[in-house]
Amino acid sequence: MKIKKELLQAFLDKYGITAALLARDMHVDEKEIKTLLEGGAVNEETARKFIYYFGADEAVKMIDWAAIGKQKPKIDEG
């Protein structure tokens, strides 16, 4: 999984959270968060934890669908 790193960085900045703190809260290695912030891909386990941490509705906005060659899922608004 790859994310739009600008959105993750904006989240960290908005709430004054460090990569280390996010990693601890998500139960992943800090290297995984740094990989995301550098625009790199992480494994399925980290992706699942990312989606669980942010919730599907927010995570879907942060995932870089074009970079992973997938179409963004349509979320039912009603």
Side-chain angles (χ1 to χ4, degrees):
M1 177 186 81
K2 288 185 174 185
I3 60 148
K4 297 175 184 172
K5 59 186 181 181
E6 309 82 28
L7 295 179
L8 179 57
Q9 188 62 60
F11 171 83
L12 296 177
D13 293 345
K14 180 178 179 178
Y15 294 104
I17 299 172
T18 64
L21 182 59
L22 180 60
R24 187 194 73 192
D25 289 349
M26 284 178 50
H27 306 286
V28 299
D29 191 286
E30 186 178 355
K31 291 181 208 172
E32 294 290 281
I33 302 303
K34 289 182 178 182
T35 297
L36 288 171
L37 289 168
E38 292 169 356
V42 293
N43 62 33
E44 184 177 345
E45 181 180 351
T46 298
R48 288 178 185 272
K49 289 179 179 183
F50 182 90
I51 294 167
Y52 180 79
Y53 179 84
F54 284 99
D57 290 341
E58 289 304 313
V60 75
K61 297 172 190 174
M62 288 191 197
I63 295 171
D64 190 342
W65 296 98
I68 60 174
K70 302 286 182 184
Q71 185 175 4
K72 181 180 177 181
K74 301 202 184 297
I75 297 176
D76 188 302
E77 299 289 329

